[in-house]
Amino acid sequence: MTFLKKNYGWIIVTILAILPMFILSNMFKIDTSNGFVLTLAENGGKEGMSTLEMLYHITGEFSIRWMTAVLTCTPFFILFGIHNLFVRQAMGIATAVWSLLHFVIFIWAEGFSETFTQFNYIAGFIAVLILIPLLFTSNRKWMKKLKRTWKKLQSLAYLAIILSLLHVAILEKTWIIYAVIVGIGFIIRIPSVKEKIMSRRKNKTQAA
């Protein structure tokens, strides 16, 4: 029970990150009659998409959603005073895993060389490269090892989200909502705005 009390937020994020994987698993067929053969299910896609296109779409959507969620953690703390570093780390891991899945499926569909043919692909590729070190250092062990450098390294997530938004915008996907959420988050982070919000929150708490 003690473990659940300390880590319930991390567990919830992990469950939410894993659940969509079951949707993806339905798009694959496993044949063990002649060894182990993994193939895509026929008619696994919807809305006129092939199964591979649907896989690409779903993984891309979840990677940008989780990335946006990570960047709302600090504004959420400023607004409500609630902060859990390990929940944020779990969100960061979910972001990196979904982004890597998205990139692997892109390579499967288009080939690695296609990565360098368009600016939006290059932007997405750089974002994935940034997320890889963030994935492997999103734990307590690396926090202790890197100390102040850890925060600087994690701040690269801002660059990753900007590149990801460029990637999605150029593809003419529904990126506006993510840009608005991230933009509001950056406004809340402005020192003068942040101080006013936190001061009002503190006064309300004292009055209560």
Side-chain angles (χ1 to χ4, degrees):
M1 289 298 293
T2 305
F3 175 81
L4 290 176
K5 284 181 180 178
K6 285 184 177 179
N7 300 282
Y8 71 91
W10 191 92
I11 292 167
I12 290 169
V13 171
T14 303
I15 291 170
L16 290 174
I18 291 173
L19 279 176
M21 300 286 185
F22 292 104
I23 299 172
L24 299 187
S25 66
N26 292 327
M27 298 182 183
F28 292 93
K29 286 168 60 179
I30 299 173
D31 184 4
T32 55
S33 59
N34 240 344
F36 182 87
V37 180
L38 183 68
T39 57
L40 291 175
E42 293 180 11
N43 302 319
K46 295 178 181 178
E47 302 173 3
M49 295 183 182
S50 66
T51 304
L52 193 56
E53 287 171 336
M54 182 57 75
L55 281 169
Y56 184 62
H57 173 74
I58 291 173
T59 53
E61 281 290 327
F62 276 102
S63 61
I64 194 73
R65 286 173 187 174
W66 279 112
M67 195 176 292
T68 304
V70 171
L71 292 181
T72 60
C73 289
T74 298
F76 195 81
F77 166 71
I78 294 168
L79 289 168
F80 306 106
I82 300 170
H83 178 67
N84 188 317
L85 178 61
F86 302 114
V87 168
R88 181 171 182 161
Q89 287 179 346
M91 287 182 175
I93 291 168
T95 301
V97 170
W98 277 102
S99 297
L100 284 168
L101 270 175
H102 182 60
F103 183 59
V104 167
I105 291 168
F106 171 79
I107 293 173
W108 183 4
E110 306 290 343
F112 182 71
S113 59
E114 187 68 18
T115 304
F116 308 99
T117 60
Q118 295 182 36
F119 174 77
N120 59 305
Y121 293 159
I122 294 171
F125 178 55
I126 295 172
V128 170
L129 289 179
I130 291 170
L131 290 172
I132 292 172
L134 301 188
L135 169 63
F136 289 107
T137 56
S138 290
N139 55 65
R140 301 179 194 190
K141 180 182 175 181
W142 278 103
M143 279 180 67
K144 290 178 181 178
K145 275 189 176 183
L146 296 174
K147 296 180 181 177
R148 291 182 181 179
T149 308
W150 185 84
K151 283 189 176 181
K152 291 179 182 178
L153 180 64
Q154 294 295 315
S155 66
L156 290 173
Y158 299 127
L159 177 58
I161 187 66
I162 291 168
L163 289 170
S164 298
L165 287 171
L166 278 172
H167 171 70
V168 177
I170 294 169
L171 287 172
E172 297 181 357
K173 300 283 179 77
T174 54
W175 63 279
I176 293 292
I177 186 168
Y178 304 117
V180 169
I181 292 170
V182 172
I184 291 171
F186 279 123
I187 292 170
I188 292 171
R189 283 181 173 88
I190 295 171
S192 58
V193 177
K194 177 182 174 180
E195 286 173 14
K196 285 181 182 178
I197 293 171
M198 294 186 75
S199 178
R200 285 181 184 178
R201 178 163 53 78
K202 188 178 179 180
N203 292 335
K204 282 183 180 179
T205 304
Q206 289 175 344

